[in-house]
Amino acid sequence: MVERRYELAFELYPYRQVPDQAAEAPVRHPVVIVGGGPVGLATALDLGRRGVPVVVLDDNEGAGLGSRAICFSKRTLEICDRLGAAEPMVGKGVVWNVGKVFHEDRLLYEFNLLPEGGHALPAFVNLQQPWFEKFLHDAIQKARSGGAQIEIRGRNRVDAVRPAADHVALEIATPDGPYKLEAEWLIACDGARSPLRGMLGLAFDGRVFEDNFLIADVKMTADFPTERWFWFEPHFKSGDSALLHKQPDGIWRIDFQLGWNIDRKAELEPARIRARVDAMLGPGVEYELDWCSIYTFQCRRMEHFRHGRVLFAGDAAHQVSPFGARGANSGMQDADNLGWKLALVLEGTAPDSLLDSYDAERVQGAEENILNSTRATDFITPKSPVSKLFRNAVLDLAGDLPFARVLVNSGRLSLPCIYDGSRLNGPDHPAMPARSRPGAVCPDAALSEGWLLRSLSDGFTLLTLDAEAPEEMEAHGVRMKRLALTAKGNEPLRERYLGGAAGAVYLIRPDQHVAARWDAFDGSAVRAAVARAIGKE
Amino acid sequence: MLITTPNLGNADEAYARLIAAHDGLSEEASHAMNARLVLILMNHIGNAAVLAEALRLARPKADQPI
């Protein structure tokens, strides 16, 4: 039997029998993804759109109940935009820019994320995770009707996994009994507890920071502003920190940090939760409890995300504290990084060693997230009396002195990793701006028509700014299209891409990261950079 | 002039190093270390007006000398 481990917010892929279950010999698929959460769905969508047939296995039948990951970053939205899923996310999501930071009941300062102009998408939207998953699933259905082969099998639970030289064998439980399946490549997106990681006997190490968060989603009509409010040592005495955030549908998310030694069952008593919420909101505020949960985190990661033909992504590969919204957002960057590489390997254009760069680049991303998340955790919950002394000194000074404000760390909000030092990176040019150097995500910019990121192709792009290059080009089996722009009269474009150079040629990867750049087109240099970017060097 | 605007290249990194420098010390040893650190940095600054301004800003507000 396949038990339903949790309730659903949306049923998206109800169990159905498939011919594979009756096959005499196990059917082999190019790619099997385990887990239908945000990372599994995004990876399936990316691969499907690239022409790779994908089977997704999930032990439930849709998006689980509960808001969970709610803060989706600009980079996540850009990835979803490339996949055709961002529009409804931005439409339903709550856009916020202002944050306030309190110590006890004292407002220390407020900040404004005020995104610089010339970006199609906002810095952040708040959206309940089930909606995020539903919109990805809607985009999958749309891609399917356009011919993408993406099959999602609900209530299919992987019970055994056996890696072999040229495939991975799976045993799967269903409501109609077990069956076997083979995958040329297996992608594990099965969450923080990753049963696959356990079945393969792989370690999940790290500095163990453990804490419990009580998440209370409350529905209220009270007129709170659309801002992020963060408290150090809140005056309502709930613990080390608390966070108030707005979600769609009149729901407010409150995160109370409770500490490690708690009685989970007692803390989840509705009366106890209401007492905490009452203390926070003050008297006379009417609300309903919509959803509550206790969330435990650790900061840790797998040593490697690639194990032969098994690739780990999202929470299965790495976990961080919630400060900074680096969980789901980093998982989406995993999906973004893996899709094009696996597609090139499957079509025989790139050697399978290209997948080692997935491991290297995303381990680098995970390290950066764990470092930031660890520092925020140390600041919010100081580990020694002297650490607390300094922390409170910073908070004391932050009201008046700007330098102390930048030391206040309630979580550094998720930004995409820049793959400095990646072996896929080609030449840089010293006169061009650091923000768009090889390894970085292309900064968006407004064009005379539309947006820069939306003008990039699904494959490699040759972006030229006031420089010549062929309209199309092929190198090492990779076809590239040119995007020809001029920075004349477009100052943001000049600032983001040209700097001191008069013209520029950028080689851009399918995941919108810069691979290499020059001040003029040189065919043999571009061919060499393509070879490098697909792991052929 | 005392600088009160951000002046550390990587503030998070600098702060983490400061906290890590106290790892394993008793509270008393940490206070002693802080005192030595202040003296070392005072000498580095060397400017009496800057130091006077820093001392004024660091002193508790409710407890300022008249």
Side-chain angles (χ1 to χ4, degrees):
Chain A
M1 260 327 286
V2 182
E3 299 298 328
R4 283 201 180 80
R5 289 183 297 114
Y6 49 85
E7 280 184 79
L8 295 183
F10 300 112
E11 185 184 78
L12 301 175
Y13 35 83
Y15 171 73
R16 273 192 209 99
Q17 268 194 11
V18 292
D20 284 4
Q21 287 169 259
E24 288 192 9
V27 176
R28 187 175 295 186
H29 294 269
V31 177
V32 172
I33 295 173
V34 180
V39 181
L41 291 176
T43 307
L45 181 54
D46 199 0
L47 287 165
R49 286 166 57 99
R50 295 184 187 283
V52 177
V54 191
V55 174
V56 180
L57 307 174
D58 193 281
D59 65 357
N60 212 323
E61 299 183 305
L65 199 66
S67 56
R68 294 168 292 149
I70 59 160
C71 281
F72 295 99
S73 71
K74 182 161 87 71
R75 183 58 198 152
T76 289
L77 296 171
E78 287 169 354
I79 294 165
C80 291
D81 198 41
R82 182 171 67 70
L83 299 174
E87 204 181 306
M89 293 172 179
V90 177
K92 182 162 181 75
V94 173
V95 176
W96 60 275
N97 288 314
V98 173
K100 285 187 176 147
V101 179
F102 300 85
H103 184 204
E104 298 171 346
D105 58 353
R106 185 167 67 100
L107 174 65
L108 297 180
Y109 65 95
E110 58 178 272
F111 61 87
N112 195 329
L113 290 176
L114 253 195
E116 64 174 0
H119 290 261
L121 294 159
F124 274 93
V125 300
N126 286 359
L127 179 68
Q128 293 91 337
Q129 185 174 333
W131 283 103
F132 186 82
E133 293 177 17
K134 184 185 183 305
F135 293 141
L136 280 173
H137 187 262
D138 290 347
I140 285 176
Q141 281 180 314
K142 204 168 156 198
R144 261 192 214 128
S145 63
Q149 297 176 62
I150 306 169
E151 188 191 337
I152 310 181
R153 299 182 184 173
R155 292 186 89 182
N156 272 235
R157 186 188 66 213
V158 176
D159 277 353
V161 53
R162 196 165 33 82
D166 63 346
H167 72 277
V168 182
L170 299 170
E171 282 176 33
I172 297 161
T174 75
D176 289 318
Y179 74 105
K180 291 180 179 172
L181 206 62
E182 291 179 358
E184 284 179 50
W185 298 94
L186 181 70
I187 308 177
C189 307
D190 53 344
R193 290 184 198 89
S194 181
L196 280 173
R197 200 180 56 222
M199 284 182 244
L200 289 166
L202 297 168
F204 196 37
D205 293 326
R207 179 171 170 190
V208 182
F209 256 138
E210 294 174 310
D211 217 315
N212 289 292
F213 288 80
L214 172 67
I215 299 175
D217 279 353
V218 305
K219 191 166 191 134
M220 60 179 173
T221 46
D223 202 16
F224 276 79
T226 303
E227 297 172 352
R228 174 192 194 263
W229 288 12
F230 185 94
W231 288 263
F232 290 99
E233 302 180 312
H235 56 287
F236 39 88
K237 302 293 173 204
S238 62
D240 284 338
S241 75
L243 182 68
L244 176 72
H245 240 181
K246 191 175 184 187
Q247 303 177 59
D249 305 322
I251 308 267
W252 294 84
R253 164 79 163 266
I254 308 171
D255 290 54
F256 296 107
Q257 187 179 357
L258 299 184
W260 186 236
N261 292 310
I262 58 156
D263 179 344
R264 288 172 70 98
K265 208 173 152 222
E267 291 296 347
L268 279 169
E269 296 279 340
R272 184 103 168 223
I273 294 173
R274 292 197 77 95
R276 286 189 187 280
V277 176
D278 289 346
M280 174 177 190
L281 297 177
V285 178
E286 281 189 28
Y287 63 89
E288 292 163 40
L289 292 179
D290 183 68
W291 177 73
C292 298
S293 172
I294 285 185
Y295 163 85
T296 303
F297 79 85
Q298 284 110 8
C299 278
R300 53 185 180 170
R301 68 167 173 89
M302 298 176 77
E303 188 182 356
H304 288 291
F305 300 169
R306 179 185 179 191
H307 291 267
R309 292 181 165 271
V310 186
L311 299 143
F312 287 83
D315 284 358
H318 44 76
Q319 235 200 315
V320 292
S321 76
F323 308 117
R326 289 167 180 268
N329 289 312
S330 68
M332 291 299 290
Q333 290 168 54
D334 294 345
D336 192 36
N337 193 286
L338 182 55
W340 67 276
K341 292 177 179 174
L342 188 52
L344 284 181
V345 169
L346 277 161
E347 69 179 42
T349 305
D352 82 49
S353 61
L354 178 59
L355 297 172
D356 293 334
S357 75
Y358 165 73
D359 184 73
E361 291 183 339
R362 292 314 301 157
V363 162
Q364 184 181 348
E367 270 299 286
E368 192 175 292
N369 287 322
I370 289 173
L371 179 69
N372 276 291
S373 169
T374 301
R375 285 179 181 166
T377 308
D378 276 340
F379 193 86
I380 293 161
T381 307
K383 299 293 179 289
S384 66
V386 71
S387 180
K388 184 158 187 167
L389 185 72
F390 275 115
R391 196 281 303 270
N392 286 349
V394 169
L395 297 179
D396 283 345
L397 295 175
D400 295 327
L401 303 179
F403 90 89
R405 244 165 261 164
V406 305
L407 291 170
V408 175
N409 191 344
S410 64
R412 302 290 180 224
L413 291 168
S414 175
L415 290 171
C417 180
I418 297 178
Y419 304 130
D420 284 321
S422 169
R423 66 183 177 84
L424 304 191
N425 292 351
D428 192 6
H429 191 284
M432 295 179 196
R435 66 187 288 186
S436 48
R437 65 187 181 272
V441 175
C442 288
D444 203 2
L447 306 179
S448 52
E449 274 176 57
W451 299 92
L452 189 145
L453 287 183
R454 287 180 182 159
S455 307
L456 298 174
S457 71
D458 288 333
F460 278 83
T461 303
L462 261 187
L463 168 66
T464 62
L465 292 108
D466 303 308
E468 290 306 315
E471 288 306 314
E472 288 194 16
M473 191 176 160
E474 191 175 330
H476 303 278
V478 170
R479 300 166 72 86
M480 281 162 281
K481 279 194 186 147
R482 177 188 181 195
L483 172 62
L485 301 177
T486 176
K488 293 190 177 76
N490 189 336
E491 206 42 44
L493 199 56
R494 177 183 305 283
E495 266 170 39
R496 291 168 203 183
Y497 286 91
L498 280 183
V505 175
Y506 278 74
L507 176 66
I508 295 167
R509 309 184 341 183
D511 58 6
Q512 305 178 336
H513 282 253
V514 174
R517 57 183 181 177
W518 306 266
D519 57 6
F521 177 77
D522 170 345
S524 62
V526 171
R527 277 187 287 276
V530 168
R532 204 171 160 81
I534 62 170
K536 274 193 168 170
E537 193 187 279
Chain B
M1 266 315 272
L2 180 72
I3 300 167
T4 59
T5 52
N7 191 38
L8 294 161
N10 183 340
D12 284 352
E13 171 95 35
Y15 186 81
R17 278 173 193 268
L18 171 66
I19 301 304
H22 286 268
D23 274 355
L25 297 183
S26 68
E27 234 180 307
E28 199 186 346
S30 271
H31 283 300
M33 173 173 156
N34 282 336
R36 290 191 292 270
L37 186 62
V38 169
L39 292 169
I40 290 167
L41 296 176
M42 268 178 73
N43 179 62
H44 180 84
I45 293 163
N47 179 309
V50 169
L51 286 172
E53 177 66 358
L55 289 168
R56 190 186 65 79
L57 287 172
R59 176 130 180 142
K61 269 189 196 158
D63 229 353
Q64 290 287 345
I66 305 155

